[in-house]
Amino acid sequence: MFRRDYIVRMIEDMTAMVAKVMTLKQERKTTEALWEVDELLNRHFRLNSRLLNSLSVEDIIDMYHLGGVIESDKLQGVARLLKEEGSIYAGNNNKEAALFRGMRALHLYLYADLNGADRGLLSMTQDINELLQEVQAYRLPVKTERLLLAYMESVGRFGKAEDSLYRLWEQGEDMSVAGAELYERLLLICPVELEQGNLPLEEVKQGIQEWNRLNVINEESNIL
């Protein structure tokens, strides 16, 4: 009961904050908009923007480990506020600050999703899609790309999962086992679902052959 009441209040407060921030952004009141986000961070998470943005994403995640369980809905709440803060900086043409917060928000959202967060709570799926659009011109950190691979597979976007696999491989990550296991799981999925996930069965089979070929080449180069 307490958790549900807390979440209801958090959603209500965030909805009101987003509406207020939107108005402030339109009025070019950047400082006031940032204050609104900071105030909500303090009210619900006992954080402020300076502290939040000085911590690593791993440190932030550790703050929401409670008895071996991730407080995933709180984590996605923090991600939502980081995303909103990034949008304020973007509206003020501070692209570096916006990108920094967007990358961190994406990582936290993905981690929360993969650890049981309610996808309908704060429009998480939509927010993830928007963040991916915002950072598409940049290379994701390896730790975030790994989460993205798992996320794309979990939501049935198999073509995107394969794309993540190859981006990790291109960055020099040892993905030989993970890649083989991904393709094994894909073979167990019905062709209709694969088609809907933008990776038809024939492409999965071709992908297995290509993945095996690349790993043979990689093994041979290591021997030499």
Side-chain angles (χ1 to χ4, degrees):
M1 175 66 80
F2 176 79
R3 178 177 177 274
R4 186 182 67 185
D5 290 344
Y6 168 82
I7 290 173
V8 169
R9 288 196 303 274
M10 182 178 73
I11 293 172
E12 290 174 345
D13 286 349
M14 283 195 177
T15 301
M17 180 273 297
V18 169
K20 188 177 292 186
V21 165
M22 184 178 297
T23 299
L24 291 169
K25 285 193 293 185
Q26 291 171 347
E27 296 173 352
R28 302 290 182 182
K29 295 181 178 179
T30 301
T31 301
E32 291 88 340
L34 289 172
W35 185 88
E36 289 292 337
V37 175
D38 210 38
E39 195 277 332
L40 199 56
L41 272 171
N42 183 57
R43 188 190 313 165
H44 282 286
F45 306 105
R46 297 182 181 178
L47 287 168
N48 58 58
S49 177
R50 179 175 294 181
L51 175 58
L52 179 61
N53 286 292
S54 70
L55 297 171
S56 69
V57 288
E58 290 85 2
D59 286 339
I60 296 170
I61 290 167
D62 282 345
M63 292 173 62
Y64 297 99
H65 266 105
L66 185 63
V69 177
I70 295 290
E71 294 182 290
S72 56
D73 290 333
K74 284 188 177 182
L75 193 59
Q76 74 159 311
V78 173
R80 181 66 183 85
L81 292 176
L82 270 174
K83 180 180 183 293
E84 192 62 35
E85 193 175 73
S87 76
I88 296 170
Y89 281 106
N92 200 38
N93 292 319
N94 190 336
K95 296 180 180 179
E96 184 176 348
L99 178 63
F100 177 73
R101 287 157 178 80
M103 287 283 195
R104 289 156 65 80
L106 177 61
H107 187 95
L108 296 178
Y109 260 136
L110 293 172
Y111 193 95
D113 181 90
L114 294 168
N115 284 275
D118 182 349
R119 288 175 178 166
L121 185 63
L122 293 169
S123 304
M124 180 163 59
T125 301
Q126 178 182 331
D127 283 352
I128 289 174
N129 290 338
E130 290 177 359
L131 287 166
L132 287 171
Q133 186 71 23
E134 291 171 13
V135 305
Q136 66 177 342
Y138 304 91
R139 175 179 287 181
L140 295 180
V142 166
K143 58 192 177 186
T144 306
E145 192 73 69
R146 285 183 177 273
L147 292 177
L148 183 60
L149 191 162
Y151 170 78
M152 288 303 182
E153 183 184 1
S154 74
V155 297
R157 298 173 68 179
F158 306 119
K160 293 294 186 182
E162 186 182 50
D163 290 343
S164 282
L165 173 66
Y166 273 89
R167 284 195 295 268
L168 286 164
W169 178 80
E170 288 167 357
Q171 292 185 63
E173 292 296 298
D174 183 3
M175 301 299 294
S176 56
V177 174
E181 291 176 345
L182 172 64
Y183 282 117
E184 286 176 6
R185 291 193 297 273
L186 291 174
L187 284 174
L188 299 176
I189 296 170
C190 79
V192 173
E193 285 186 53
L194 290 174
E195 190 83 34
Q196 292 172 343
N198 201 31
L199 194 65
L201 180 58
E202 188 58 36
E203 291 187 18
V204 173
K205 293 177 179 178
Q206 292 172 1
I208 292 172
Q209 293 176 352
E210 178 64 12
W211 188 249
N212 290 337
R213 185 186 71 82
L214 289 173
N215 280 286
V216 168
I217 293 173
N218 189 55
E219 289 174 3
E220 290 175 348
S221 65
N222 289 336
I223 293 174
L224 295 175

